[in-house]
Amino acid sequence: PIDCLSSSNVAEYLDADKRRFMGLGQPLTRFAIVEEMDGSGQGRCLFVWTIHHALYDGWSMPKLLDRVSRVYNDIETPQAPLFSSFIKYLDGIDAKESARFWMSKFENFSSSSFPMKPSVHYQPHVDSSMLADVSIKKANGSNTTTSNIIRAAWALLVSRYSETTDVAFGAVLSGRNAPLEGIEHTIGPTITTVPVRVHIDRDQSVQKYLSKIQEDALDMIPFEQAGLQNISRFNGECKMACEFQNFLVVQEETSAEYGERQLDLEDISPPLQGFVGCALVTECKIKTEKVSVQIYHDSKVISGQQVRWIINQFCHAVRQLSSIQDGVTIGEVELVSPEDVGIVMAWNKAYPETVKRCIHQVIEEQVRLQADAPAISAWDGDISYAQLDHLATRLSYRLVQLGV
């Protein structure tokens, strides 16, 4: 029998439902009938369904609702492929071959995490988000999928921010590319998370770069269900690769199923805010001619202003990679977005007063006025005006000795 709870106030029920535990040893789905009256004495009856993500994913939920609607309206419902077939497929994966694949994928990998956590023991907790849309117009003859263009653009951005040409980040995959008959109609969670490694060569053509991204994605399919917890145990390099602080989620927009059209539904899923584990999460939803990008972040690790720059730069990179013609190299892909240029122009809108003196004379004056004030402040240290004057004087004497 199915237990169905009851209530007379939907707001109170939802508030109480959020506090109810749902996990190991507990039912992973709940049902309730809420019959409430409004201020005018009119009544309404609502059905509330609470379900744990362990039972579904974004791909299968519309199909599940479609089946509910068909049964409710007494419409013939075709048999869906059994989820047990997917479990059997997972059991048949060669563990040793999977280990060899992942160890070879991250051979000689050296970590360079982006963004950096405030401390080693800090546990990231995303608490803010930003949203943007980017139009997609693929170059003629391009056979690179939009999801791989997105992955390629994100890799370029991570490379720039982490200051390395060998990057790794997490990627959430649908799991629907598994070589299993009917996998696209299977109802149940097939999603998986994998570490992705990308080498950036500024002299490589964009076409070759995109082809390599797509080739690597295809090579990964037989082993993408290995699981982060297992991949991280293969060796130290794999463990390092699984400690990423940013990951990419790419979802294809699905057309509305019959159930979604017929049922009057309201999705009240909790937002990704509160997600623990990564400081930066980029979610991309692929639509017909555009991609909706939403970036979630931990504001204690990376500021909202920085995320605004990142989302603009990412969209700019996606636009370029999707439309670039032959002959363009990775080094020619511009990551400075039009919005960045506008900011720099605004910074330089007011021109400083012209000073008709040499720079060393200006510095000498500052030495007299504020010798201990910082003249240079950089990532590797600070120098006061007095120190700068002393070092510059020593350098000038040395250059004179050398006859320069």
Side-chain angles (χ1 to χ4, degrees), residues 268-290:
I268 52 174
S269 301
L272 194 55
Q273 268 90 340
F275 178 87
V276 176
C278 268
L280 192 65
V281 180
T282 301
E283 183 180 34
C284 300
K285 294 184 179 179
I286 302 174
K287 301 181 179 181
T288 305
E289 294 182 346
K290 69 176 182 178

Side-chain angles (χ1 to χ4, degrees), residues 88-96 98 221-226:
K88 185 176 180 181
Y89 162 75
L90 297 183
D91 287 340
I93 295 175
D94 188 324
K96 290 183 178 179
S98 179
I221 290 174
F223 312 105
E224 64 184 21
Q225 294 288 347

Side-chain angles (χ1 to χ4, degrees), residues 56-60 83 86 147 151 171-178 183-184 186 188-194 221 224-225 248-252 254:
Y56 77 100
D57 58 16
W59 184 290
S60 58
F83 189 70
F86 178 68
S147 61
R151 181 179 294 187
V172 177
L173 309 177
S174 70
R176 302 289 167 165
N177 289 318
I183 186 66
E184 68 275 15
T186 299
T190 63
I191 59 172
T192 183
T193 303
V194 296
I221 290 174
E224 64 184 21
Q225 294 288 347
L248 182 66
V249 184
V250 180
Q251 303 179 54
E252 297 275 354
T254 56

Side-chain angles (χ1 to χ4, degrees), residues 4-77:
C4 195
L5 304 173
S6 61
S7 176
S8 59
N9 186 292
V10 67
E12 291 178 1
Y13 173 79
L14 292 176
D15 185 59
D17 189 57
K18 290 177 183 177
R19 296 195 296 270
R20 292 187 63 188
F21 176 75
M22 181 180 280
L24 294 175
Q26 298 288 328
L28 298 181
T29 186
R30 289 192 290 269
F31 308 97
I33 298 294
V34 180
E35 297 180 88
E36 66 175 8
M37 304 292 288
D38 60 21
S40 63
Q42 296 294 317
R44 65 172 182 167
C45 183
L46 301 171
F47 175 73
V48 182
W49 178 26
T50 307
I51 181 171
H52 196 285
H53 219 313
L55 299 183
Y56 77 100
D57 58 16
W59 184 290
S60 58
M61 179 55 76
K63 299 184 181 300
L64 182 56
L65 294 175
D66 176 65
R67 299 180 69 79
V68 171
S69 179
R70 286 177 180 274
V71 171
Y72 182 79
N73 290 290
D74 195 25
I75 298 174
E76 183 179 357
T77 307

Side-chain angles (χ1 to χ4, degrees), residues 134-154:
V134 53
S135 298
I136 294 289
K137 185 178 181 181
K138 290 187 181 181
N140 293 332
S142 173
N143 61 356
T144 306
T145 64
T146 301
S147 61
N148 283 320
I149 290 174
I150 291 171
R151 181 179 294 187
W154 186 247

